[in-house]
């Protein structure tokens, strides 16, 4: 993916002591700089939309590699592979916690072709974000659903389980400093924690008005305590990373940088662009941008309403927090202002550890296979000739590997004869 060149340029800007959330590659490095020339034209004059933790990692890579693009790409790919390793570690553990086959979860999640092509091949920072998010979820659930107390008896000091919980929350918070989307996971961790402390939706929903507070105050107190704990840890981790990296809080002002992309995979964008083109064909003028400015915020409001719905379902015990998170991520992807192929993994990977229905698995397999072919890791339009060449090369490679390893070729029979004679000779020489 060409996004890697944006990573390199923005990291170089940070390494030079400039603010990548204000200074674009063209301004910070110059139009003729080797890194700027590699950045797609669309992103040469835009600031970085990524979290400070990710840019700090990139800054360290720049300190090692300088302007050596090949070496920098290699190290960034290693970072992506670390993220994949974290996914592989956490996914089967989360699956077993939800009563799902860990092997099936790994095949559908970690071995998904979108993971291989886009997170590894495309070197996208979603690999690190998702890996850290899943590890944080596993640590949190280990403490919340365990039998050990979270606090030591008679004190507010955390027990071993409590420290595990705090570590999990901190890891999820840190993942949001790679890409802010994973912050959504904290909401469902908070609900799981509040449930352990006695919160339950029917207590809030069915209480008579006159008895509402008496019957519901425990649930309200548990939700408030859970939210306070999570927000406190999130605040400490966020401030620590923003100040510790020296990159500050500029990332909060650049989250909408990707709005310049008009992705057909985003429902609000697709409907807005289609409506705009229909208006052009009817002679009403090009109103596409005006429609986008209305359609995209409306899509975000709809997504927020659905996410609240999934949170309530989780609080009522109808959805496991991991499943509710996966469904919420799917909702975000559908209504997000701009969507890329690998964004589907925000939902697919958590759901792989929870969803067992055949319709989900078959749909996920079909969609992943189609998107993996239609959208190449470059994320740009790919001609049919290139697709045909790639498919033909794949067929040839599969045929060659099948012939070498599964067919009884003359070379195989020759090699077996040599081994058999050597084995017979060895047995003959034994006393």
């Amino acid at each position: 993916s060409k996004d890697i060149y944006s990573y390199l340029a923005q990291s170089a800007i940070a390494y030079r002591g400039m603010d990548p959330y204000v200074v674009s590659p063209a301004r910070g490095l110059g139009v003729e700089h080797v890194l700027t020339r590699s950045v797609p034209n669309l992103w040469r004059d835009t600031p970085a939309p990524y979290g400070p933790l990710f840019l700090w990692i990139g800054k360290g890579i720049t300190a090692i590699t300088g302007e050596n693009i090949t070496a920098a790409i290699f190290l960034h790919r290693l970072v992506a592979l670390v993220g994949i390793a974290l996914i592989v570690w956490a996914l089967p553990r989360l699956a077993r916690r939800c009563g799902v086959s860990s092997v099936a979860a790994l095949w559908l999640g970690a071995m998904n072709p979108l993971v291989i092509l886009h997170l590894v091949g495309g070197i996208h920072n979603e690999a690190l974000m998702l890996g850290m998010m899943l590890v944080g979820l596993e640590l949190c659930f280990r403490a919340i659903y365990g039998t050990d107390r979270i606090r030591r008896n008679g004190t507010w000091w955390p027990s071993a389980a409590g420290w595990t919980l705090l570590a999990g929350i901190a890891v999820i918070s840190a993942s949001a400093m790679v890409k802010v989307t994973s912050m959504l996971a904290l909401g469902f961790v908070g609900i799981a924690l509040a449930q352990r402390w006695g919160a339950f939706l029917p207590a809030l929903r069915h209480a008579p008005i006159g008895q509402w507070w008496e019957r519901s105050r425990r649930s309200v107190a548990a939700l408030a305590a859970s939210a306070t704990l999570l927000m406190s840890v999130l605040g400490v981790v966020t401030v620590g990373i923003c100040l510790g990296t020296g990159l500050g809080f500029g990332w909060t002002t650049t989250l909408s940088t990707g709005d310049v992309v008009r992705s057909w995979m985003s429902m609000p964008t697709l409907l807005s662009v289609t409506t705009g083109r229909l208006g052009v064909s009817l002679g009403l003028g090009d109103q596409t941008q005006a429609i986008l400015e209305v359609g995209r915020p409306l899509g975000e409001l709809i997504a927020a309403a659905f996410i609240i719905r999934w949170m309530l379902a989780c609080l009522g015990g109808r959805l496991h927090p991991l499943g509710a998170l996966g469904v919420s991520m799917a909702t975000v992807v559908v209504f997000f202002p701009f969507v890329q192929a690998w964004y589907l993994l925000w939902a697919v990977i958590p759901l792989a550890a929870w969803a067992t229905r055949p319709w989900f698995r078959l749909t996920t397999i079909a969609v992943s296979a189609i998107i993996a072919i239609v959208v190449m890791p470059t994320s740009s339009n790919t001609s049919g000739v290139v697709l045909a060449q790639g498919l033909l090369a794949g067929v040839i490679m599969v045929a060659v590997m099948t012939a070498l390893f599964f067919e009884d070729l003359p070379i195989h029979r020759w090699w077996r004869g040599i081994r058999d004679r050597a084995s017979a000779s060895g047995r003959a020489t034994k006393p």
Side-chain angles (χ1 to χ4, degrees):
S1 169
K2 295 180 181 178
D3 283 3
I4 182 63
Y5 301 113
S6 296
Y7 298 168
L8 300 184
Q10 292 155 3
S11 299
I13 290 171
Y15 178 70
R16 293 186 176 192
M18 294 177 283
D19 188 351
Y21 300 117
V22 176
V23 180
S24 66
R27 285 179 52 200
L29 303 178
V31 177
E32 296 302 320
H33 193 276
V34 61
L35 296 178
T36 304
R37 290 202 305 267
S38 301
V39 177
N41 292 333
L42 184 63
W43 307 116
R44 289 186 182 182
D45 293 306
T46 56
Y50 309 113
L53 178 60
F54 179 71
L55 290 183
W56 178 75
I57 293 172
K59 179 180 175 181
I61 291 174
T62 302
I64 296 171
T65 61
E67 297 180 2
N68 188 325
I69 295 179
T70 302
I73 289 176
F74 176 79
L75 292 181
H76 270 279
R77 195 183 299 278
L78 288 182
V79 172
L81 289 173
V82 169
I84 299 300
L86 295 177
I87 293 173
V88 170
W89 180 86
L91 201 57
R93 290 167 171 80
L94 291 169
R96 287 193 292 269
R97 195 174 296 283
C98 297
V100 175
S101 166
S102 59
V103 175
L106 282 173
W107 273 106
L108 191 59
M111 289 301 294
N112 191 298
L114 295 179
V115 172
I116 306 301
L117 289 175
H118 291 284
L119 298 194
V120 179
I123 324 179
H124 289 290
N125 54 12
E126 266 81 3
L128 187 60
M129 178 199 81
L130 288 169
M132 295 176 66
M133 182 187 78
L134 292 177
V135 168
L137 285 169
E138 168 59 20
L139 293 176
C140 289
F141 291 159
R142 186 176 297 181
I144 292 171
Y145 296 121
T147 57
D148 296 336
R149 290 177 56 87
I150 294 177
R151 291 186 297 149
R152 295 182 182 178
N153 288 329
T155 70
W156 288 94
W157 196 251
S159 64
W163 285 115
T164 301
L165 174 63
L166 292 176
I169 299 171
V171 172
I172 296 174
S173 302
S175 75
M177 296 298 99
V178 174
K179 209 161 188 176
V180 72
T181 315
S182 64
M183 196 177 292
L184 183 60
L186 291 176
F188 295 95
V189 169
I191 289 176
L193 181 59
Q195 287 176 322
R196 168 160 178 159
W197 287 342
F200 193 51
L201 180 61
L204 297 171
R205 186 172 55 187
H206 297 307
I209 295 177
Q211 303 176 15
W212 189 88
W213 177 246
E214 182 65 27
R215 293 178 58 180
S216 304
R217 60 183 179 182
R218 181 178 180 183
S219 293
V220 173
L223 287 168
S226 176
T228 300
L229 175 63
L230 267 72
M231 293 301 294
S232 298
V233 177
L234 174 63
V236 170
V237 172
T238 300
V239 172
I241 290 176
C242 291
L243 297 181
T245 59
L247 294 172
F249 300 89
W251 59 274
T252 59
T253 63
T254 62
L255 296 176
S256 61
T257 298
D259 285 355
V260 297
V261 177
R262 296 183 178 181
S263 170
W264 61 269
M265 296 180 67
S266 165
M267 182 181 294
T269 300
L270 176 62
L271 294 177
S272 298
V273 171
T274 302
T275 304
R277 290 181 178 175
L278 181 61
V280 172
S281 65
L282 294 176
L284 301 177
D286 188 0
Q287 307 298 326
T288 303
Q289 187 58 40
I291 299 173
L292 282 169
E293 291 176 358
V294 174
R296 283 174 165 175
L298 182 60
E300 292 172 354
L301 287 175
I302 295 173
F306 272 111
I307 290 171
I308 292 173
R309 174 70 180 86
W310 308 138
M311 286 185 171
L312 292 175
C314 180
L315 184 60
R318 295 190 298 276
L319 287 177
H320 188 280
L322 182 64
L325 171 63
V327 174
S328 297
M329 284 291 195
T331 303
V332 170
V333 171
V334 170
F335 292 100
F336 210 60
F338 51 95
V339 177
Q340 303 288 5
W342 55 94
Y343 288 12
L344 297 176
L345 297 171
W346 299 355
V348 169
I349 293 179
L351 287 175
W354 173 76
T356 57
R357 298 288 181 88
W359 66 264
F360 165 75
R361 293 192 175 182
L362 292 175
T363 302
T364 302
I365 291 169
V367 170
S368 299
I370 292 171
I371 297 297
I373 294 174
V374 173
V375 184
M376 293 289 102
T378 59
S379 299
S380 58
N381 294 329
T382 306
S383 67
V385 173
V386 174
L387 290 176
Q389 289 174 341
L391 290 173
L392 179 60
V395 170
I396 292 173
M397 288 300 297
V398 170
V400 170
M401 292 298 106
T402 300
L404 287 177
F405 291 100
F406 294 99
E407 295 294 329
D408 192 16
L409 299 176
I411 189 172
H412 293 156
R413 293 193 291 272
W414 173 77
W415 178 245
R416 280 202 307 272
I418 292 178
R419 288 189 303 173
D420 291 343
R421 288 193 294 272
S423 178
S425 175
R427 287 195 299 267
T429 57
K430 288 184 178 180

